[in-house]
Amino acid sequence: MKLNTNSNTYIIIYSAILVIIVAFLLAFVFQALKPMQDANVALDVKKQILYSLNIHGLDGSEAEAKYKDVVKGEIEKEGLKYYTCEIDGQQKYVFPLKGMGLWGGISGFLAVNEDLNTVYGAYFNHESETAGLGAEIKDSQAWQEKFQGKKIFDDNGEVVLSVVKKVDNPASQVDCVTGATLTSNGVSDMLRDCMKQYKNLLKK
């Protein structure tokens, strides 16, 4: 019996088989590449942590080796994770940050000196901020370096590290990214909310 390749039944069956084959191939490729993708994501996180510790310009293998050298531990308590590190014999702490920018999520890492109140370094990232404006929180190393040496808490334990349009207290404030006030506000809110949580955690 000759198949009627013009019939609706044939077309539906042919399409269904084709969809199943393509879906199987995509699932196979995804599973095959997943370990590599996971490794790349993990390496990217390690590089971001190193960036917050003012360590830049390393390729994959160099970053892996440097991370093992400076990051001494990963501590997780009550759903919060932070890292203990050592730079030139001095203790540092790196705290992950998450918040919201103008168009999507923002994140970063804040490296803090042993006094738990002085910024050693900072790195910020974003999902979809505007290139040349809000994206500068990630792209501008010079802006990130402005956080170095800033104080996080005041004498009452309140978070004073912030991003502002006009700096009144240079000890704890950083001027916002030009033309990206809302994204800068998001960074400021993220710093306040996240560091408040870490402060409460470390007091316990």
Side-chain angles (χ1 to χ4, degrees), residues 85 89-93 111-120:
C85 309
Q90 297 183 342
Q91 182 88 5
K92 310 293 178 186
Y93 299 89
V112 181
N113 287 335
E114 191 170 2
D115 64 359
L116 291 173
N117 194 33
T118 306
V119 177
Y120 179 72

Side-chain angles (χ1 to χ4, degrees), residues 47-104:
K47 284 185 174 181
Q48 291 185 41
I49 292 171
L50 293 176
Y51 293 156
S52 75
L53 291 165
N54 308 315
I55 301 172
H56 299 268
L58 302 181
D59 62 23
S61 59
E62 292 172 335
E64 288 280 7
K66 192 66 175 177
Y67 183 88
K68 291 180 180 178
D69 181 50
V70 303
V71 178
K72 303 303 181 182
E74 299 180 13
I75 300 173
E76 187 164 358
K77 295 180 180 179
E78 300 179 15
L80 295 174
K81 178 187 287 188
Y82 63 96
Y83 303 82
T84 57
C85 309
E86 186 176 308
I87 302 290
D88 297 329
Q90 297 183 342
Q91 182 88 5
K92 310 293 178 186
Y93 299 89
V94 176
F95 299 99
L97 309 168
K98 283 192 177 296
M100 284 296 298
L102 176 58
W103 301 113

